[in-house]
Amino acid sequence: MSLYLALGDSITAGYGVGSEFSFPAVYSNFLRRHDPGLRVYNLGVNGLTTQGLLELLLLNHKLRQLVSQASLITITIGSNDLLRLIRNSNQLVNSQRLGVVLGNLPKTLALIGEVLRQLNPRAIIKVGTLYNPLPAGPYAQYYVQVQGVIDSANAIVISWAKRYGFVVVYVDREIRGKESSLIGSDYGHPNAAGYRAISKAFARY
């Protein structure tokens, strides 16, 4: 019997719509058309950072067991690392911390990659890119500034994924240009339609 394990932050947890409408729930419904006995574990954690995911993978025995047994793993991570760059309610990026955050990101991701592949060298692992929600809300004026940071982070995520044989799912491409219809009322997380779009992306790649 196959096992699908969803790891990551609030995008995996389904913040704003509930776990039953999260992208892993919608994606797993698609997968069960071909694998009715599929077991699914959504272990998304709101606010999870790359360091938090690393600690879970190192210290949580049950999680390590699930990773070793999984045939498919999906990951959304990195957005909360970038949120540490927001200096105040004006959404200005703290440029003094930018180098530190982007410098630590590949190091932590590499450690996550090592743990995942040590525990399970065979699983299909799909990693979502980060998206920019700002055009949907009141902070659209900072879109260009924030997009530059996201582009840098996504370059790191894509390089990491390729290094460890992960599949890159370009979530940012699904959201870009459709923010007003796919981003929820908090102007940060997807709405139900947004999560469905993300699930379709994970199914397609």
Side-chain angles (χ1 to χ4, degrees):
M1 185 182 296
S2 301
L3 189 157
Y4 164 34
L5 177 62
L7 300 176
D9 50 27
S10 54
I11 305 303
T12 291
Y15 183 91
V17 299
S19 60
E20 66 270 28
F21 298 107
S22 65
F23 92 77
V26 178
Y27 182 31
S28 62
N29 288 336
F30 168 78
L31 294 172
R32 284 194 172 111
R33 297 178 191 173
H34 309 281
D35 187 356
L38 179 71
R39 292 183 294 153
V40 179
Y41 292 85
N42 185 345
L43 301 185
V45 178
N46 292 332
L48 192 69
T49 63
T50 53
Q51 183 62 39
L53 177 57
L54 176 61
E55 291 173 2
L56 287 173
L57 288 168
L58 291 173
L59 302 175
N60 188 311
H61 179 67
K62 176 62 174 178
L63 174 57
R64 290 172 64 86
Q65 276 189 321
L66 289 173
V67 169
S68 68
Q69 297 167 3
S71 54
L72 171 65
I73 299 171
T74 60
I75 304 173
T76 62
I77 201 71
S79 294
N80 293 303
D81 296 66
L82 298 189
L83 284 176
R84 294 180 174 183
L85 295 171
I86 303 301
R87 185 160 48 194
N88 54 45
S89 59
N90 291 325
Q91 298 289 306
L92 295 175
V93 172
N94 187 336
S95 57
Q96 292 180 331
R97 287 188 52 81
L98 179 60
V100 174
V101 171
L102 292 181
N104 287 337
L105 187 61
K107 298 174 185 176
T108 310
L109 288 174
L111 293 172
I112 291 170
E114 293 292 338
V115 174
L116 288 171
R117 281 311 186 201
Q118 286 171 7
L119 292 171
N120 193 329
R122 299 172 304 280
I124 296 172
I125 300 179
K126 298 186 176 185
V127 179
T129 56
L130 312 183
Y131 65 88
N132 187 346
L134 293 190
Y139 305 113
Q141 61 184 312
Y142 301 110
Y143 172 79
V144 174
Q145 182 184 23
V146 171
Q147 187 62 50
V149 177
I150 291 176
D151 287 344
S152 296
N154 276 337
I156 293 169
V157 169
I158 292 167
S159 176
W160 166 62
K162 291 181 177 179
R163 176 180 175 183
Y164 290 94
F166 304 160
V167 177
V168 178
V169 178
Y170 291 91
V171 172
D172 57 316
R173 297 178 183 175
E174 304 300 313
I175 302 295
R176 188 179 299 128
K178 307 171 191 171
E179 293 87 357
S180 61
S181 59
L182 299 182
I183 300 298
S185 58
D186 68 350
Y187 304 118
H189 294 86
N191 55 24
Y195 284 113
R196 287 196 299 271
I198 293 172
S199 72
K200 290 178 181 178
F202 272 88
R204 189 165 61 251
Y205 285 96

